[in-house]
Amino acid sequence: MDTFYYLIQNTLPVAIPLLLVALGGMFSERSGVINIALEGIMLVGAFFGCLFVYFVQSTSLDAQGILLLGMLVAAGAGFLYSLLLSLAAVTMKADQTITGTALNMLIPAAILLFSKMFFNSDGITTNKNFYIKEVPLLSEVPVLGKLFFQNTYITVYIGIFLLVLSAIVFYKTKFGLRLRACGEHPHAADSVGINVYFMRYAGVSLSGILGGIGGFFYAVGVMNGNTNGHTGVAGFGFLALAVMIFGQWKPFKILLAALFFAFLRTVAYSIALIPFLDALNINQTYYKMLPYLATMVVLAFTSKKSRAPKAEGIPYDKGLR
């Protein structure tokens, strides 16, 4: 039973970055812009969030307060970086895939250069511990307390809050309806006075905000508050794209997909705790391939069933306000 608790406790901090970045991709794609740059946006958020933590970690600020402020910095960094995609893909009509790929290639090199120049290392290392041993009162609840309120991070609770908020914005507000309309039928949206350019900028910007936060949460929950220009975010941005597709561009299905991939990754790093897997004497490297192999298998079997809502006229420009 302790192994089960351990697996769940370690799955959630990994699932949350995937969830947030996939939600960001959902907002962008449903507005009509394919955001391949999620990997780069994650790394931007992780870097600037950790940079902020590095400079304030020696102050009297509480660890969780620093984390929340770092989250805001990461969100701002992701937002600003995503504007480059908006400028190129929406305003200048550049190819979205090529633009996203360029943004993914730019930021690791820039971070590596900056880190070498100012820190003489490949990234930023912080010594602030954001780990929560237990949440008062709630940690004492039978079963659930041990699963969700012990040995965790505040990022888990923030992630769930942002999921609910995203679902409400997406389905229950005029903004969400207009965003989806601009992705599915931009001509019709434009004919009733909706500013399609603005809505697509908004969709990509939300993608940048959530992607930046997801990148910082990855650095906190997976990398223990560190960033590295060489390893980046270990392909989590691309994995989030797979999570988004597997979740069929729907918030709560995306949550299930994120939990699935995160659980596989946690199992891969916990083989010694699972007797029947440990007894197989298979090199752990093969287990670490599980999330990525699962990605290919899932996409192969769901690609025909899971299609993005029709985004007709993405390059359309005539008459847009």
Short mmCIF file of all heavy atoms in Angstrom, two decimals, residues 50-79:
data_model
loop_
_atom_site.label_atom_id
_atom_site.label_comp_id
_atom_site.label_asym_id
_atom_site.label_seq_id
_atom_site.Cartn_x
_atom_site.Cartn_y
_atom_site.Cartn_z
N CYS A 50 12.78 30.19 -12.30
CA CYS A 50 13.91 29.79 -11.46
C CYS A 50 14.90 30.94 -11.26
O CYS A 50 15.53 31.03 -10.20
CB CYS A 50 14.62 28.59 -12.08
SG CYS A 50 13.68 27.06 -11.98
N LEU A 51 15.03 31.79 -12.27
CA LEU A 51 15.90 32.96 -12.13
C LEU A 51 15.38 33.87 -11.03
O LEU A 51 16.15 34.38 -10.20
CB LEU A 51 15.97 33.71 -13.46
CG LEU A 51 16.95 34.89 -13.52
CD1 LEU A 51 18.39 34.39 -13.38
CD2 LEU A 51 16.79 35.64 -14.85
N PHE A 52 14.07 34.05 -10.98
CA PHE A 52 13.46 34.85 -9.91
C PHE A 52 13.72 34.20 -8.55
O PHE A 52 14.10 34.89 -7.59
CB PHE A 52 11.96 34.99 -10.16
CG PHE A 52 11.21 35.65 -9.04
CD1 PHE A 52 11.21 37.02 -8.89
CD2 PHE A 52 10.53 34.88 -8.10
CE1 PHE A 52 10.54 37.63 -7.84
CE2 PHE A 52 9.86 35.47 -7.04
CZ PHE A 52 9.86 36.85 -6.91
N VAL A 53 13.50 32.90 -8.47
CA VAL A 53 13.74 32.18 -7.21
C VAL A 53 15.19 32.33 -6.77
O VAL A 53 15.48 32.54 -5.58
CB VAL A 53 13.37 30.69 -7.35
CG1 VAL A 53 13.78 29.91 -6.10
CG2 VAL A 53 11.87 30.53 -7.60
N TYR A 54 16.10 32.26 -7.72
CA TYR A 54 17.54 32.37 -7.43
C TYR A 54 17.86 33.70 -6.74
O TYR A 54 18.66 33.74 -5.80
CB TYR A 54 18.34 32.23 -8.73
CG TYR A 54 19.82 32.38 -8.56
CD1 TYR A 54 20.62 31.31 -8.17
CD2 TYR A 54 20.43 33.61 -8.79
CE1 TYR A 54 22.00 31.45 -8.02
CE2 TYR A 54 21.80 33.77 -8.64
CZ TYR A 54 22.58 32.68 -8.25
OH TYR A 54 23.94 32.84 -8.09
N PHE A 55 17.23 34.78 -7.21
CA PHE A 55 17.56 36.10 -6.67
C PHE A 55 16.85 36.41 -5.35
O PHE A 55 17.30 37.29 -4.62
CB PHE A 55 17.24 37.18 -7.70
CG PHE A 55 18.25 37.27 -8.82
CD1 PHE A 55 17.89 36.99 -10.13
CD2 PHE A 55 19.56 37.63 -8.55
CE1 PHE A 55 18.82 37.07 -11.15
CE2 PHE A 55 20.51 37.71 -9.57
CZ PHE A 55 20.13 37.43 -10.87
N VAL A 56 15.74 35.73 -5.06
CA VAL A 56 15.01 36.05 -3.83
C VAL A 56 15.08 34.93 -2.79
O VAL A 56 14.52 35.08 -1.70
CB VAL A 56 13.52 36.36 -4.14
CG1 VAL A 56 13.40 37.50 -5.13
CG2 VAL A 56 12.79 35.13 -4.64
N GLN A 57 15.77 33.84 -3.10
CA GLN A 57 15.77 32.70 -2.18
C GLN A 57 16.43 33.00 -0.84
O GLN A 57 16.12 32.34 0.17
CB GLN A 57 16.45 31.49 -2.83
CG GLN A 57 17.91 31.71 -3.17
CD GLN A 57 18.49 30.55 -3.97
OE1 GLN A 57 17.83 29.54 -4.22
NE2 GLN A 57 19.75 30.66 -4.37
N SER A 58 17.30 33.99 -0.80
CA SER A 58 17.98 34.31 0.44
C SER A 58 17.23 35.35 1.28
O SER A 58 17.69 35.74 2.35
CB SER A 58 19.40 34.82 0.15
OG SER A 58 19.35 35.97 -0.68
N THR A 59 16.08 35.79 0.80
CA THR A 59 15.29 36.77 1.53
C THR A 59 14.43 36.07 2.58
O THR A 59 14.43 34.85 2.70
CB THR A 59 14.39 37.58 0.58
OG1 THR A 59 13.43 36.70 -0.01
CG2 THR A 59 15.22 38.23 -0.52
N SER A 60 13.67 36.85 3.31
CA SER A 60 12.83 36.29 4.37
C SER A 60 11.47 35.79 3.87
O SER A 60 10.63 35.37 4.65
CB SER A 60 12.61 37.35 5.46
OG SER A 60 11.98 38.51 4.91
N LEU A 61 11.26 35.86 2.57
CA LEU A 61 9.99 35.41 2.01
C LEU A 61 9.78 33.92 2.26
O LEU A 61 10.72 33.12 2.18
CB LEU A 61 9.94 35.69 0.51
CG LEU A 61 9.71 37.15 0.07
CD1 LEU A 61 9.86 37.27 -1.43
CD2 LEU A 61 8.32 37.62 0.51
N ASP A 62 8.53 33.56 2.53
CA ASP A 62 8.17 32.16 2.71
C ASP A 62 8.34 31.39 1.40
O ASP A 62 8.14 31.95 0.31
CB ASP A 62 6.71 32.07 3.18
CG ASP A 62 6.22 30.64 3.27
OD1 ASP A 62 6.65 29.93 4.20
OD2 ASP A 62 5.42 30.24 2.41
N ALA A 63 8.71 30.11 1.49
CA ALA A 63 8.97 29.30 0.30
C ALA A 63 7.76 29.26 -0.63
O ALA A 63 7.90 29.42 -1.85
CB ALA A 63 9.37 27.88 0.70
N GLN A 64 6.56 29.07 -0.06
CA GLN A 64 5.36 29.00 -0.91
C GLN A 64 5.02 30.36 -1.51
O GLN A 64 4.51 30.44 -2.63
CB GLN A 64 4.18 28.45 -0.09
CG GLN A 64 4.44 27.11 0.58
CD GLN A 64 5.01 26.07 -0.37
OE1 GLN A 64 4.60 25.97 -1.52
NE2 GLN A 64 5.95 25.27 0.12
N GLY A 65 5.34 31.43 -0.79
CA GLY A 65 5.15 32.77 -1.34
C GLY A 65 6.08 33.01 -2.52
O GLY A 65 5.68 33.59 -3.53
N ILE A 66 7.33 32.55 -2.39
CA ILE A 66 8.29 32.67 -3.50
C ILE A 66 7.79 31.88 -4.70
O ILE A 66 7.88 32.32 -5.85
CB ILE A 66 9.67 32.18 -3.05
CG1 ILE A 66 10.27 33.16 -2.04
CG2 ILE A 66 10.60 32.02 -4.24
CD1 ILE A 66 11.61 32.74 -1.47
N LEU A 67 7.25 30.70 -4.44
CA LEU A 67 6.74 29.87 -5.53
C LEU A 67 5.62 30.58 -6.28
O LEU A 67 5.58 30.58 -7.52
CB LEU A 67 6.27 28.52 -4.98
CG LEU A 67 5.88 27.45 -6.02
CD1 LEU A 67 6.14 26.06 -5.47
CD2 LEU A 67 4.43 27.56 -6.46
N LEU A 68 4.71 31.19 -5.54
CA LEU A 68 3.59 31.88 -6.18
C LEU A 68 4.07 33.09 -7.00
O LEU A 68 3.58 33.33 -8.11
CB LEU A 68 2.59 32.35 -5.12
CG LEU A 68 1.83 31.23 -4.39
CD1 LEU A 68 0.97 31.81 -3.27
CD2 LEU A 68 0.96 30.45 -5.37
N LEU A 69 5.03 33.82 -6.45
CA LEU A 69 5.58 34.96 -7.19
C LEU A 69 6.35 34.47 -8.42
O LEU A 69 6.27 35.07 -9.50
CB LEU A 69 6.49 35.78 -6.29
CG LEU A 69 5.79 36.55 -5.16
CD1 LEU A 69 6.82 37.20 -4.24
CD2 LEU A 69 4.84 37.61 -5.73
N GLY A 70 7.11 33.38 -8.26
CA GLY A 70 7.82 32.79 -9.39
C GLY A 70 6.86 32.33 -10.47
O GLY A 70 7.15 32.43 -11.67
N MET A 71 5.70 31.82 -10.06
CA MET A 71 4.67 31.40 -11.02
C MET A 71 4.20 32.59 -11.85
O MET A 71 4.03 32.48 -13.07
CB MET A 71 3.49 30.79 -10.26
CG MET A 71 2.34 30.33 -11.15
SD MET A 71 0.87 29.86 -10.21
CE MET A 71 0.25 31.50 -9.76
N LEU A 72 4.02 33.74 -11.21
CA LEU A 72 3.59 34.94 -11.94
C LEU A 72 4.66 35.40 -12.93
O LEU A 72 4.36 35.82 -14.05
CB LEU A 72 3.25 36.06 -10.96
CG LEU A 72 2.08 35.79 -10.01
CD1 LEU A 72 1.89 36.97 -9.05
CD2 LEU A 72 0.79 35.55 -10.80
N VAL A 73 5.91 35.33 -12.50
CA VAL A 73 7.02 35.69 -13.39
C VAL A 73 7.06 34.75 -14.59
O VAL A 73 7.22 35.19 -15.74
CB VAL A 73 8.36 35.65 -12.62
CG1 VAL A 73 9.53 35.80 -13.59
CG2 VAL A 73 8.40 36.74 -11.56
N ALA A 74 6.91 33.45 -14.32
CA ALA A 74 6.91 32.46 -15.40
C ALA A 74 5.76 32.69 -16.37
O ALA A 74 5.92 32.57 -17.59
CB ALA A 74 6.85 31.05 -14.81
N ALA A 75 4.59 33.03 -15.82
CA ALA A 75 3.42 33.30 -16.66
C ALA A 75 3.68 34.50 -17.56
O ALA A 75 3.35 34.48 -18.76
CB ALA A 75 2.19 33.54 -15.79
N GLY A 76 4.27 35.55 -16.99
CA GLY A 76 4.59 36.74 -17.78
C GLY A 76 5.60 36.45 -18.87
O GLY A 76 5.47 36.92 -20.01
N ALA A 77 6.62 35.65 -18.53
CA ALA A 77 7.64 35.30 -19.52
C ALA A 77 7.04 34.47 -20.65
O ALA A 77 7.33 34.70 -21.83
CB ALA A 77 8.78 34.53 -18.83
N GLY A 78 6.20 33.51 -20.29
CA GLY A 78 5.55 32.69 -21.31
C GLY A 78 4.63 33.52 -22.21
O GLY A 78 4.58 33.31 -23.43
N PHE A 79 3.92 34.46 -21.60
CA PHE A 79 3.04 35.35 -22.36
C PHE A 79 3.84 36.16 -23.38
O PHE A 79 3.47 36.24 -24.56
CB PHE A 79 2.29 36.27 -21.39
CG PHE A 79 1.64 37.45 -22.04
CD1 PHE A 79 0.50 37.29 -22.81
CD2 PHE A 79 2.17 38.73 -21.89
CE1 PHE A 79 -0.11 38.39 -23.42
CE2 PHE A 79 1.58 39.82 -22.50
CZ PHE A 79 0.43 39.66 -23.27
#
